[in-house]
Each structure stands twice: as C-alpha cells, then as structure tokens.
Amino acid sequence: METSVIHGQQSGPHLLVSAGVHGDEFEPIRTVQVLAQTFEGNHERLQAGTLTLVPCVNERAFQLGQRCAEDGMDLARTCPGQSDGSVTEQAAAELSELIRSADYYIDLHTGGVAYELFPLAGYMLHSDRQVLDSQRKMAQAMNLPLVWGTSSQLEGRSLSVARDAGVPAIYCEHGGGSQVRTNAVNDYLTGVLRIMSQLGMARESPAAPSVRWNVEDDRPESGHLQVCNPSPLTGVFEPATRTGEIIRRGEALGTVYSLANTSAAVLSPCDGLVVMMRAFPRVLEGEALALVLPV
Ligand SMILES: [Zn+2]
C-alpha cells in the first residue's frame, strides 16, 4: 500500500495516520493526502518525530468503490490478517505491522455509502491506565463533538491490533455517503494537527475546543455499530430523524417499506443522541438502521 514516511527536525514520537480501511470512505483519504502534501512540502513544519501516512489501506476495495474487496472480507474484522492470505488479509497484515511499529495511531473513517455518522472520536477502554489516558487525551484533542470510549473486547479491528501492542489509538467517524464533504476533511485536518501539537510534533495554533459529549460504555458489544436496531424487513428505509438529533425512547427512527408494500416502523429503544443513520435506502432484513447513544 502507498505509504509516506516523513521525519521531523528532531527525534520524537512516531504517529501513524491511516485512511481507506474501507474502500467507500472518501474524506479520510483526502485528509491524509492533504497532510502528506503539507508536511512533505515543508519538512520544517514537522518539528519532531516521525509521521507515517497511509491514504488508502484497502486499495482493492477502493478500486471497486465498495466497503470490502472482492474476497468479501471486512478489513476492520480481519486484523491482524495474514501476509499469505486473501487480498484483505494481506492488507490487514501490512497495516498491523505499521500499527505495531508506531507510538500513536489514528484511523479515520466515515459511514461509507451505507451510513451517515455523527462526528466522533472513539477508543477502547484499555486495561492499561497509561494507554487509556493517552487515548482519552488524543480523542479530546481530535475535537469532534462526540468522544466515545467503548469495549476493549472487540476483535479484528485496527484498534484491536493497537490494543494488543499497547499503542494508544483512536478511530474517527464523520458523515458518509457518496461525496467528499469539505467540512469533514477540514475537521479531520484540524483534529490531527491538534493531536500532533499535543504530542510535541508540530506547533499549531489551537482551535477552540468543540467536544460536546463524553461517553464511556464498557458493555461487551458497545462500539459495534453493525448490530444496532436491525431492520425488521427487506425494503426501502425512510428515515424520520437524522444524526445529531436528540431523540426520546419510542419516537420514530424511520419506517421500512417492503416491495410488497408492507411497512414496519422502527422506534428508538432509548433516549439519546442519534449517532448513526442508514443513508443508503435499500436495506436487507437484519441490517442495522440506526444507533441511538444515551448521553
Ligand atoms: Zn470505515
């Protein structure tokens, strides 16, 4: 995979930033490209440490314009992968090597074509106090409105590899759909530069803090977005709310209409913040429709 390694003026921490773990998430790719341009063209700007940038981990999925490559494996469930495995297993193995070599790690995502995500920085509730504290600081510095600590039991993720290697790591989500939103690229750039400043790698004038919610949830499946509010039918999903809204228990998230024109309303199971909504209208029975997070 395409990788840029940029060395700073002085020794310091090694930060890895990756995008394109899923092939249909485009703002992260642009963010990493802009970071590469910023620091490759101006080495003095990187005052200390090493910056490793991967603009697209899952190049095969990107070529297909899909979340996953042709082997159908989700790279974010395949880590640490296998160097002699399928295309996705190989990419996962290569990424896992890079993660183990880093001191800090940021993995940038969006909801892809299928989902819209409220901007958030997430981390695992690591059992090592020092790693956990570093992750909390990174997530705050990322400066997205939601900071979300979730179960450390989740496997197969890039963050699972970081957890096992004791590398402080966060992942970020922002929007989704089939376009490049300039505000998402800008928010991601600001956040990564703030973290670099916090790590003493670059001097950036700090943007005003804009975190609105801090949530930590240690239930075993917390942070597993794909299991939330499964669709009762295969059909067309018409949403009744959107990400960033505060919703009450029992209020409508939306309705699914089957091709036979039967319908099923989907209601919020709790009071909370709408963090994820289905964006691509065709849903299969059992696919996640939305996530409401108690805040
Ligand atoms: Zn993703």
Side-chain angles (χ1 to χ4, degrees):
M1 62 188 70
E2 204 70 44
T3 304
S4 309
V5 182
I6 306 152
H7 296 286
Q9 307 284 91
Q10 297 165 30
S11 61
H14 178 195
L15 173 67
L16 169 66
V17 185
S18 68
V21 158
H22 296 124
D24 64 346
E25 301 179 2
F26 306 111
E27 289 90 341
I29 295 174
R30 284 298 302 136
T31 304
V32 171
Q33 287 175 332
V34 175
L35 283 168
Q37 214 169 19
T38 303
F39 288 101
E40 275 171 349
N42 184 357
H43 279 247
E44 297 85 72
R45 238 186 123 175
L46 189 61
Q47 294 179 324
T50 301
L51 180 62
T52 297
L53 299 168
V54 183
C56 189
V57 171
N58 199 342
E59 289 178 7
R60 294 294 283 268
F62 174 78
Q63 282 155 10
L64 294 171
Q66 294 174 5
R67 179 176 171 88
C68 303
E70 62 267 26
D71 58 13
M73 298 178 81
D74 185 335
L75 205 150
R77 303 292 177 272
T78 306
C79 290
Q82 268 180 276
S83 52
D84 60 351
S86 70
V87 279
T88 304
E89 288 173 320
Q90 286 180 32
E94 208 177 324
L95 175 64
S96 298
E97 265 319 296
L98 284 174
I99 294 168
R100 293 187 195 106
S101 75
D103 299 317
Y104 298 92
Y105 175 43
I106 305 169
D107 191 12
L108 301 175
H109 288 253
T110 75
V113 170
Y115 293 99
E116 168 80 25
L117 265 300
F118 187 66
L120 69 94
Y123 54 93
M124 286 186 178
L125 293 165
H126 204 284
S127 56
D128 182 302
R129 177 56 65 169
Q130 250 176 332
V131 173
L132 179 58
D133 279 350
S134 298
Q135 294 183 155
R136 284 176 174 147
K137 283 188 190 135
M138 289 168 75
Q140 290 295 328
M142 194 66 203
N143 216 23
L144 300 170
L146 173 63
V147 169
W148 192 20
T150 57
S151 171
S152 61
Q153 315 290 317
L154 300 173
E155 299 299 334
R157 271 91 167 157
S158 59
L159 258 55
S160 318
V161 176
R163 173 200 63 203
D164 294 345
V167 175
I170 63 168
Y171 76 98
C172 300
E173 301 281 1
H174 200 316
S178 307
Q179 74 275 294
V180 175
R181 297 178 200 198
T182 310
N183 72 314
V185 177
N186 289 340
D187 288 350
Y188 273 173
L189 282 171
T190 306
V192 173
L193 292 172
R194 272 174 126 252
I195 290 175
M196 291 178 69
S197 164
Q198 186 186 68
L199 297 175
M201 298 176 72
R203 201 175 305 144
E204 294 298 324
S205 44
S210 56
V211 175
R212 283 161 68 195
W213 290 285
N214 278 285
V215 179
E216 289 196 340
D217 179 355
D218 206 13
R219 286 172 300 170
E221 282 290 301
S222 70
H224 188 182
L225 302 174
Q226 281 75 18
V227 296
C228 305
N229 295 294
S231 179
L233 297 173
T234 291
V236 177
F237 177 59
E238 197 176 313
T241 184
R242 51 186 185 165
T243 59
E245 296 289 321
I246 297 288
I247 191 169
R248 297 261 163 232
R249 179 167 181 247
E251 282 180 355
L253 289 166
T255 306
V256 188
Y257 298 90
S258 76
L259 289 183
N261 211 7
T262 56
S263 66
V266 181
L267 308 178
S268 178
C270 57
D271 295 355
L273 173 71
V274 180
V275 168
M276 180 180 84
M277 284 296 286
R278 179 86 187 176
F280 187 69
R282 201 279 280 126
V283 288
L284 300 178
E285 186 182 334
E287 283 183 337
L289 291 175
L291 169 68
V292 182
L293 184 68
V295 287

